Each structure stands twice: as structure tokens, then as C-alpha cells.
Amino acid sequence: MATALQPLPAQPVARLRLAPPSTSPRPIDGAWWPRSRDLLVELPLLLGGLPAAWGQITGVTVNNAMWSAGPGRMLVANHVVRLRRSAGSYGRHTVCLLSPGHGRWDLLVVPPEVDAADAEPLMAAAAGEAR
């Protein structure tokens, strides 16, 4: 008797809201709401959800207090991403993404333990959406 093959579970998508493109610099370019504090799991999802116009992200700066320990670099979608960690309260709830020749983007990081009712307005505000 043959058994039916079960479909593979779908890869989760990043919970991400980005501000519309602008020629003016802004302090926050959107928001990211990861599902855990494991950067090795969450970062590939984030980078996979970014617009192609942002180019290849090669550097990411995160706050030590927000994320579990990890390496100084990792392979994401067949390219190396350098991870930098900052200490202190500055930038605790942000992630900085660098793409040579394309720019820098700072995203608000909504902690994973925040519930949806509280996360949604934070993400909308960071993306510049009127509520």
C-alpha cells in the first residue's frame, strides 16, 4: 500500500512593513516583527523579504540585548552577510541594513513577544502609514 507524500511546510515569510520609497532621508525605513530572537533563523527571512531595489545586503548591525549570540558573519542566499553587534541602549530596537552602492536602511524591530494587537500599530507607524 502506497502512502501519499505530505507537502513540505511552507517557509514562513518575514513580517515586514516598509515605508514607501522616498528621496528624503528618514530615521526609520519600516518595521520588522521577527518570530524569535534567533538571528540565524530570522535574518534570512528578513533579507528574503526585502525589495530587489535595495540590492544585496552585505552588512547588518543589531543590538546584543535583543538577539541570541551568533557568529560574526553568515551565509544567506549564497552570499556572506557580516553581522555587527552594538551594545547599550542606542539602537536596541532597530536593525541597520547596508548594501554597498545602494544605501542604508534602519528598521524598527518589534520584539517577537509583542502580540499582534500591539505590533500592528507600531509597524504601521514605522512604515509611515496613516491609521
Coordinates of all heavy atoms in Angstrom, one line a residue, residues 6 10 15 23 26 38 43 53 58 60 64 76 81 91 95 106 108 126:
Q6 N 3.4 13.8 1.9 CA 2.9 15.1 2.5 C 3.7 16.2 1.9 O 4.9 16.2 1.8 CB 3.2 15.0 4.0 CG 2.4 13.9 4.7 CD 0.9 14.1 4.6 OE1 0.4 15.3 4.8 NE2 0.1 13.1 4.4
A10 N 5.4 25.2 4.2 CA 5.8 26.4 3.5 C 6.8 27.2 4.4 O 6.7 27.2 5.6 CB 4.6 27.3 3.2
R15 N 7.6 39.1 8.6 CA 6.6 40.1 9.0 C 7.3 41.5 8.9 O 8.0 41.9 9.8 CB 6.0 39.8 10.4 CG 5.3 38.4 10.4 CD 4.7 38.1 11.7 NE 5.7 38.0 12.8 CZ 5.4 37.6 14.0 NH1 4.1 37.3 14.3 NH2 6.3 37.4 15.0
T23 N 12.9 60.2 -1.7 CA 14.2 60.8 -2.0 C 14.8 61.5 -0.7 O 16.0 61.8 -0.6 CB 14.1 61.9 -3.1 OG1 13.2 62.8 -2.7 CG2 13.8 61.2 -4.4
R26 N 15.1 59.4 6.1 CA 14.2 59.4 7.2 C 14.9 58.5 8.3 O 15.8 57.7 8.0 CB 12.9 58.8 6.8 CG 12.9 57.4 6.3 CD 11.5 56.9 5.9 NE 11.6 56.3 4.6 CZ 10.8 56.6 3.6 NH1 9.9 57.5 3.7 NH2 11.0 55.9 2.5
D38 N 16.3 34.5 17.5 CA 17.3 33.7 16.9 C 17.7 34.3 15.6 O 17.0 34.1 14.6 CB 16.9 32.2 16.7 CG 18.0 31.3 16.2 OD1 19.0 31.9 15.7 OD2 17.9 30.1 16.3
L43 N 17.1 36.3 10.3 CA 17.7 37.2 9.3 C 17.5 36.7 7.8 O 17.2 37.5 7.0 CB 19.2 37.4 9.6 CG 19.9 38.4 8.8 CD1 19.3 39.8 9.0 CD2 21.4 38.5 9.2
A53 N 15.3 46.3 -5.2 CA 15.9 47.7 -5.4 C 16.9 48.0 -4.3 O 17.8 48.8 -4.5 CB 14.9 48.8 -5.5
T58 N 25.0 43.3 2.6 CA 26.2 42.7 3.0 C 26.6 42.9 4.4 O 27.5 42.3 4.9 CB 27.4 43.1 2.1 OG1 27.5 44.6 2.2 CG2 27.1 42.8 0.6
V60 N 24.9 43.9 8.5 CA 23.7 44.0 9.3 C 24.2 44.3 10.7 O 25.1 43.6 11.2 CB 22.8 42.7 9.4 CG1 21.7 42.9 10.4 CG2 22.3 42.4 8.0
N64 N 23.1 43.7 20.9 CA 23.3 42.5 21.6 C 22.2 42.1 22.5 O 21.9 40.9 22.7 CB 24.6 42.7 22.5 CG 25.9 42.4 21.8 OD1 25.9 41.7 20.8 ND2 26.9 43.0 22.2
V76 N 23.8 33.8 3.5 CA 22.4 34.0 3.3 C 22.2 34.1 1.8 O 22.8 34.9 1.1 CB 21.8 35.3 3.9 CG1 20.3 35.5 3.6 CG2 22.0 35.3 5.4
V81 N 27.0 37.7 4.7 CA 26.4 38.9 5.4 C 27.2 39.0 6.7 O 27.3 38.1 7.5 CB 24.9 38.7 5.7 CG1 24.4 39.9 6.5 CG2 24.1 38.5 4.4
G91 N 19.9 52.1 19.7 CA 19.6 51.1 18.6 C 19.1 49.8 19.1 O 19.1 48.8 18.3
V95 N 17.4 47.5 13.5 CA 18.4 46.8 12.8 C 18.8 47.7 11.6 O 18.0 48.3 11.0 CB 17.8 45.4 12.3 CG1 16.6 45.6 11.4 CG2 18.9 44.6 11.6
D106 N 17.3 51.6 8.1 CA 17.1 51.2 9.5 C 15.7 50.8 9.7 O 14.7 51.6 9.3 CB 17.5 52.5 10.4 CG 18.9 52.8 10.3 OD1 19.7 52.0 10.8 OD2 19.3 53.9 9.8
L108 N 12.7 49.5 12.5 CA 12.3 49.2 13.9 C 12.1 47.7 14.0 O 11.5 47.1 13.1 CB 11.0 49.9 14.1 CG 10.3 49.6 15.4 CD1 11.0 50.3 16.6 CD2 8.8 50.0 15.4
A126 N 5.8 53.0 11.8 CA 7.2 52.9 11.3 C 7.2 53.0 9.8 O 8.2 53.5 9.2 CB 7.9 51.7 11.8

